[in-house]
């Protein structure tokens, strides 16, 4: 599958903004979660340096019927940045300026290629921070976060990244530049296109800039961990903590298998037991919240409950949790993790879905480590299998799918923060129904009738190579 991209030479781009060098093209053929053998090499890689560049590239690509797939840091986990139909990979990493910082308004304007950690660093100069920043914020761009509707460890207190976006600038497939939202903290002027574009995975427009809300850094921070005898007890403690209204900023579950893998990878000394990692943010009265949480955890069988101030080893404590995905990949050379599980359920179903995953693992004799942002009902899991054993791979695929379907049946979702991409397309209708998915198609066809933007993603028919086009366009 190749496309003629010679028209790129006619655009007002510098020589180093367009390349067809094989090594560079191959580096844009996959993202972090792409399985071996599923890479797709684009015909060219372009590096826009302004919104005007993005506009010119998209307008020309649409005129020449060449697909364009936005690409940033390559840290997506569902093949979101894979150029499924080849064409152009649009690398946005040169759009990396913080264009304005208004601490008096608690606002910052950033281009799409700015890393999340850079936002926090700049905000910190004025005693502010970007609360919803995912744990992968130091290796992910704000454009990628918005495209995939990302969230992270602090969602339980602060909400998702989308909740902190005031306005976005974006470019449609025909090159039109639009603005969605407002720098005012609220608006009811017209359709909410801002939230439509966030989470659309680059299939509707390319976000080039965003205005983000910031918050003051909390004066008191405490963090720690609790150790439980049973996984049921740990999951039930999380449920009870959230339902009781304990003011936690982070509450993360790590099962015994995940703890063991983290120890092997990070050199930590976590107990090989179910764990809950915690962090509390307050301006006053933090000890009362800590003790409230302690009483709930001990009621559910916590054998240890350790909380310390922010400057007493918290970074080391959280590093093991942040390394979890890497730990699973390197744990056993004979076992390969299948697709990255990313389900989210109502908090009342959290213990149920963890229990169900473990029951399936035992029934099919596969390893299913579970961890995740427990406070908002998010479970990350993986099924580890021997790729040379077809029966085990088949069993693993069945386990993975049954967990996703169970989450949907609980009123949850197949993806809490990774997006649909290539990996979750088959579950979209299962979760939303055909009528809802068709409404999504109508939006796609209206904004991108030629299916220029990130084709092959999200919709069920694209699994078999289908396109979401307006045939009259």
């Amino acid at each position: 599958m190749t496309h003629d991209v010679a028209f790129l030479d006619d655009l007002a781009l510098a020589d180093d903004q367009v390349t067809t060098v094989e090594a560079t093209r191959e580096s844009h053929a996959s993202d972090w979660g792409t399985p071996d053998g599923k890479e797709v090499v684009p015909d060219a890689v372009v590096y826009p340096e302004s919104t005007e560049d993005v506009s010119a590239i998209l307008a020309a690509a649409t005129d020449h019927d060449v697909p364009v797939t936005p690409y940033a840091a390559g840290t997506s986990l569902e093949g979101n940045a894979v150029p499924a139909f080849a064409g152009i990979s649009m690398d946005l990493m040169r759009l990396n300026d913080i264009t304005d910082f208004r601490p008096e308004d608690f606002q910052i304007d950033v281009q799409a290629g700015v890393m999340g950690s850079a936002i926090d660093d700049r905000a910190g100069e004025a005693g502010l921070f970007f609360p919803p920043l995912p744990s992968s914020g130091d290796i992910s761009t704000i454009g990628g976060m918005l495209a995939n509707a990302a969230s992270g460890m602090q969602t339980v207190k602060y909400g998702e990244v989308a909740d902190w976006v005031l306005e976005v600038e974006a470019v449609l497939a025909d090159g039109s530049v639009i603005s969605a939202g407002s720098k005012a903290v609220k608006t009811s002027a017209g359709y909410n296109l801002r939230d439509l574009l966030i989470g659309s995975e680059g299939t509707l427009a390319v976000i080039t800039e965003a205005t983000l809300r910031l918050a003051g850094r909390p004066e008191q921070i405490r963090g720690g961990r609790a150790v439980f005898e049973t996984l049921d007890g740990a999951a039930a403690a999380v449920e009870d903590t959230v339902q009781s209204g304990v003011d936690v900023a982070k509450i993360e579950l790590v099962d015994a298998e995940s703890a063991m893998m983290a120890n092997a990878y990070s050199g930590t000394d976590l107990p090989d037991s179910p764990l809950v990692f915690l962090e509390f943010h307050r301006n006053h009265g933090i000890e009362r919240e800590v003790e409230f949480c302690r009483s709930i955890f001990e009621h559910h069988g916590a054998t240890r409950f350790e909380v310390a101030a922010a400057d007493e080893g918290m970074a080391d404590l959280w590093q093991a949790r942040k390394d979890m995905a890497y730990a699973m990949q390197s744990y056993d050379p004979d076992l390969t993790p299948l697709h990255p599980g990313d389900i989210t359920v109502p908090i009342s179903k959290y213990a149920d879905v963890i229990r169900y995953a473990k029951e399936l693992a035992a029934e099919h004799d596969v390893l299913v480590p579970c961890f995740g942002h427990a406070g908002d009902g998010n479970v990350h899991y993986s099924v580890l299998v021997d790729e040379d054993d077809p029966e085990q791979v088949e069993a693993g695929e069945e386990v993975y799918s049954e967990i996703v379907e169970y989450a949907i049946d609980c009123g949850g979702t197949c993806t809490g923060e990774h997006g649909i991409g290539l990996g979750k397309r088959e579950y979209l209708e299962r979760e939303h129904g055909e009528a809802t998915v068709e409404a999504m198609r109508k939006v796609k066809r209206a904004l991108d009738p030629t299916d220029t933007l990130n084709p092959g993603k999200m919709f069920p028919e694209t699994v078999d190579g289908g396109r979401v086009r307006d045939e009259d366009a």
Side-chain angles (χ1 to χ4, degrees):
M1 181 191 324
T2 59
H3 298 270
D4 183 359
V5 294
F7 65 88
L8 292 171
D9 294 335
D10 299 328
L11 302 181
L13 301 172
D15 290 344
D16 69 344
Q17 288 184 263
V18 180
T19 182
T20 56
V21 172
E22 184 176 358
T24 305
R25 290 165 48 224
E26 289 179 348
S27 73
H28 288 71
S30 61
D31 60 16
W32 202 85
T34 307
D36 290 342
K38 299 296 184 181
E39 304 89 348
V40 180
V41 179
D43 300 294
V45 178
V46 297
Y47 298 89
E49 297 179 354
S50 66
T51 297
E52 291 73 22
D53 286 351
V54 174
S55 174
I57 294 163
L58 286 179
T62 296
D63 286 344
H64 289 83
D65 196 23
V66 174
V68 178
T69 301
Y71 191 99
T75 52
S76 300
L77 291 173
E78 291 290 358
N80 315 74
V82 175
F85 286 86
I88 295 169
S89 177
M90 180 183 283
D91 190 315
L92 298 164
M93 292 298 288
R94 295 187 188 179
L95 294 177
N96 59 4
D97 287 339
I98 295 175
T99 58
D100 198 11
F101 178 37
R102 300 177 297 282
E104 68 278 7
D105 289 326
F106 294 84
Q107 293 181 10
I108 190 168
D109 298 339
V110 298
Q111 291 185 309
V114 173
M115 289 290 186
S117 54
I119 298 170
D120 241 11
D121 289 345
R122 183 64 183 278
E125 296 173 5
L128 305 176
F129 77 127
F130 186 51
L133 192 65
S135 57
S136 60
D138 55 345
I139 57 171
S140 302
T141 66
I142 190 63
M145 294 178 209
L146 297 184
N148 293 342
S151 56
M153 292 185 184
Q154 298 182 163
T155 300
V156 63
K157 180 177 177 71
Y158 297 106
E160 301 175 289
V161 171
D163 298 322
W164 291 78
V165 180
L166 291 170
E167 185 177 35
V168 297
E169 176 188 77
V171 184
L172 301 180
D174 65 0
S176 300
V177 179
I178 67 171
S179 175
S182 168
K183 288 181 173 59
V185 295
K186 64 179 182 179
T187 176
S188 56
Y191 293 151
N192 188 351
L193 296 180
R194 175 196 61 203
D195 285 358
L196 177 64
L197 298 183
I198 295 172
S200 64
E201 302 184 33
T203 63
L204 300 180
V206 176
I207 294 174
T208 54
E209 189 165 333
T211 297
L212 309 174
R213 291 193 300 119
L214 303 171
R217 291 186 180 275
E219 294 183 10
Q220 298 176 319
I221 299 177
R222 302 285 187 275
R225 72 185 183 202
V227 182
F228 288 81
E229 290 184 354
T230 68
L231 187 57
D232 274 354
V238 170
E239 276 191 23
D240 199 355
T241 298
V242 174
Q243 291 165 346
S244 298
V246 179
D247 188 6
V248 289
K250 300 178 183 177
I251 181 165
E252 300 276 316
L253 179 74
V254 175
D255 71 4
E257 292 162 339
S258 300
M260 177 180 61
M261 294 175 186
N263 285 335
Y265 180 83
S266 304
T268 50
D269 59 352
L270 300 176
D272 289 344
S273 302
L275 304 169
V276 176
F277 288 74
L278 297 149
E279 195 166 290
F280 301 85
H281 294 181
R282 299 275 290 186
N283 289 326
H284 52 79
I286 197 167
E287 299 303 334
R288 184 169 61 250
E289 291 300 321
V290 171
E291 291 309 309
F292 185 11
C293 186
R294 182 194 301 273
S295 67
I296 293 172
F297 275 36
E298 290 178 349
H299 173 73
H300 289 284
T303 58
R304 289 161 61 186
F305 185 93
E306 306 162 331
V307 174
D311 58 352
E312 296 179 9
M314 277 178 52
D316 292 339
L317 184 71
W318 285 104
Q319 190 60 46
R321 168 61 186 86
K322 292 177 69 173
D323 288 343
M324 202 65 71
Y326 301 101
M328 285 187 184
Q329 285 197 323
S330 63
Y331 172 66
D332 186 331
D334 295 326
L335 296 179
T336 301
L338 291 177
H339 328 285
D342 175 39
I343 56 172
T344 304
V345 296
I347 194 63
S348 65
K349 302 294 184 182
Y350 193 74
D352 292 343
V353 75
I354 294 288
R355 189 178 304 114
Y356 183 75
K358 293 301 183 179
E359 289 172 354
L360 285 177
E363 179 183 339
H364 293 273
D365 194 25
V366 292
L367 195 60
V368 184
C370 296
F371 62 101
H373 313 316
D376 54 52
N378 193 194
V379 182
H380 294 317
Y381 68 95
S382 193
V383 184
L384 276 63
V385 298
D386 180 352
E387 285 190 312
D388 295 327
D389 184 340
E391 291 186 1
Q392 190 174 77
V393 171
E394 182 179 357
E397 293 284 2
E398 182 180 344
V399 168
Y400 176 84
S401 295
E402 288 191 22
I403 294 172
V404 173
E405 291 176 0
Y406 183 85
I408 294 172
D409 289 341
C410 287
T413 178
C414 65
T415 174
E417 56 187 28
H418 296 165
I420 294 292
L422 297 171
K424 292 286 180 63
R425 294 172 294 181
E426 64 187 280
Y427 301 109
L428 196 64
E429 286 184 4
R430 176 80 164 72
E431 181 170 331
H432 292 296
E434 168 58 27
T436 300
V437 174
E438 180 56 27
M440 295 181 189
R441 292 189 188 97
K442 290 177 180 177
V443 173
K444 167 68 170 171
R445 292 177 184 129
L447 295 183
D448 181 18
T450 57
D451 197 21
T452 297
L453 285 166
N454 208 2
K457 310 297 168 57
M458 195 173 297
F459 295 99
E461 63 268 32
T462 63
V463 173
D464 298 320
R467 300 285 294 272
V468 186
R469 292 178 180 260
D470 183 344
E471 298 302 332
D472 296 327

